[in-house]
Amino acid sequence: LLCIISALLAIQTTLAVEGFDISIFSGEVPKSDYECMKKEGMEFSITEAWNGGHTLNRHFATNIINAKEAGIKYNDIYIFACNGCSGNGSPAAIAAAVRAALPKGFSGMAWIDVEPCSGCWKSHSENLEYVSNLVKYFRTAGFHVGVYSSLGSWAAVTGSESATTEEIKSAQCWYAHYDDKRSFSDSAFYRFGGFTKPSIKQYAENGKACGLTYDKDWYP
């Protein structure tokens, strides 16, 4: 029995996929840094394509190209847009701007980042509608769409852990819980927004390697 358990754990470890996400403030990341991250065992990256008052990240497309050429298999983007941030515009306009800037052949996910920040958001009901419309219009623009948040962040922005819409519930879930565990066993921490099954976990922050500062992500 112990041999069987050990074998199953070994298989699970082998199948688990390690990745990382970087923000707009990472700037343009050279291919050599991604090659280094590949050697660190990273198989996917998630790059911020849009950031609040900073709007479009002019380096995100280059970063995706560099990551792919370095051998990182899966490359997604995330979008932090907020209805109280200057220069954000409508969800439809943001989706169109990101779509127009994509590198050729992009097939990754677009994750809508939902978290509080000072002066970024309006009322809870307006915020929920805005997030729902972001999901809607990124989907309309041809993206596979998910939502990134945490239990506390979701409630802070939308007013309740259970606040959701049909549009939001139909998206995938990438959640943050910094317990340093590569596991979805912490189900209490991803049951927000109507989600019941996550796709990715951000299990630690402030990773540092290869000249980058990043968050650590995982999926089984």
Side-chain angles (χ1 to χ4, degrees):
L1 180 60
L2 287 175
C3 291
I4 294 172
I5 292 172
S6 296
L8 289 173
L9 288 173
I11 291 170
Q12 185 176 28
T13 300
T14 301
L15 294 177
V17 183
E18 289 282 335
F20 64 103
D21 62 271
I22 55 173
S23 76
I24 191 174
F25 303 109
S26 294
E28 184 174 333
V29 180
K31 179 182 173 182
S32 59
D33 285 359
Y34 284 111
E35 288 172 337
C36 178
M37 292 296 281
K38 171 69 175 177
K39 290 177 182 177
E40 291 285 320
M42 300 299 179
E43 295 292 343
F44 71 92
S45 74
I46 309 176
T47 302
E48 186 171 29
W50 185 279
N51 179 284
H54 297 276
T55 65
L56 190 71
N57 176 3
R58 61 190 180 91
H59 298 298
F60 91 88
T62 299
N63 289 348
I64 290 170
I65 291 169
N66 287 346
K68 186 176 181 179
E69 290 182 350
I72 294 178
K73 295 180 182 178
Y74 311 110
N75 299 285
D76 294 351
I77 57 173
Y78 76 92
I79 297 92
F80 177 65
C82 35
N83 54 12
C85 299
S86 63
N88 268 218
S90 69
I94 294 169
V98 172
R99 165 58 69 185
L102 284 175
K104 186 178 180 180
F106 177 82
S107 59
M109 293 282 297
W111 298 94
I112 307 303
D113 180 0
V114 181
E115 54 187 296
C117 67
S118 178
C120 294
W121 296 99
K122 297 180 180 179
S123 71
H124 290 148
S125 60
E126 289 174 298
N127 298 345
L128 184 65
E129 181 181 11
Y130 190 77
V131 171
S132 186
N133 282 332
L134 284 167
V135 173
K136 174 183 177 180
Y137 285 105
F138 269 85
R139 185 174 281 140
T140 300
F143 290 94
H144 299 290
V145 184
V147 171
Y148 164 84
S149 195
S150 69
L151 199 66
S153 291
W154 187 260
V157 173
T158 68
S160 169
E161 293 171 3
S162 61
T164 193
T165 66
E166 290 302 317
E167 199 79 51
I168 289 169
K169 284 194 295 185
S170 66
Q172 294 188 44
C173 175
W174 169 26
Y175 74 107
H177 178 213
Y178 300 145
D179 60 355
D180 204 31
K181 294 180 179 179
R182 299 164 180 82
S183 169
F184 290 158
S185 62
D186 52 345
S187 59
F189 290 90
Y190 57 75
R191 293 189 181 278
F192 57 83
F195 299 117
T196 58
K197 183 180 179 180
S199 297
I200 302 176
K201 178 179 181 178
Q202 187 183 82
Y203 66 88
E205 58 181 342
N206 296 327
K208 290 185 179 181
C210 306
L212 293 174
T213 298
Y214 56 91
D215 297 317
K216 299 178 181 180
D217 303 291
W218 166 92
Y219 65 82

